[in-house]
Amino acid sequence: MPVTCKEDKRCLTALVTGELDHHGARAVMEELDRRIDQAQPRELTLDLSGLTFTDSSGIAVLLRARRRMGQVRGSMRVVRTPDQAGRVFRAAGLERLIRFE
């Protein structure tokens, strides 16, 4: 599960591509944890435009990223969410916890 991260002035952008299922979720979580620890960003932007599929594992990734950003006193937003992933996240009620744009 590829995650490509870019940093700019304490803003971290992570582009997630491929399938975010139980096989790839752990690697994504570990990479996001590592980059958040390293950058201590004020804002994390998760760009899901390259996501082709997600299940409940994607929900866990987003919730963990939100928790980690809270630990570093930063904010998080999710952008360019594909339709299939959006349906999964809405069914879980994530729009009440996470900013989707």
Side-chain angles (χ1 to χ4, degrees), residues 4-60:
T4 305
C5 294
K6 292 186 290 187
E7 279 181 67
D8 183 37
K9 298 178 185 165
R10 294 202 53 205
C11 292
L12 180 64
T13 300
L15 172 64
V16 180
T17 59
E19 294 188 1
L20 187 53
D21 56 16
H22 69 280
H23 295 293
R26 183 179 184 104
V28 171
M29 286 185 207
E30 288 173 355
E31 180 64 11
L32 289 175
D33 281 349
R34 187 180 73 75
R35 294 302 295 258
I36 290 168
D37 286 344
Q38 188 177 47
Q40 298 287 303
R42 286 188 207 128
E43 181 174 74
L44 169 65
T45 300
L46 286 179
D47 182 343
L48 303 182
S49 61
L51 197 62
T52 57
F53 172 81
T54 193
D55 58 15
S56 61
S57 301
I59 296 167

Side-chain angles (χ1 to χ4, degrees), residues 39-87:
Q40 298 287 303
R42 286 188 207 128
E43 181 174 74
L44 169 65
T45 300
L46 286 179
D47 182 343
L48 303 182
S49 61
L51 197 62
T52 57
F53 172 81
T54 193
D55 58 15
S56 61
S57 301
I59 296 167
V61 168
L62 267 58
L63 290 174
R64 181 167 171 161
R66 177 181 177 268
R67 181 176 53 88
R68 291 290 292 120
M69 287 305 296
Q71 291 171 343
V72 297
R73 299 183 188 271
S75 63
M76 178 180 131
R77 66 188 182 126
V78 179
V79 299
R80 302 174 67 194
T81 306
D83 290 340
Q84 185 272 330
R87 286 191 298 274

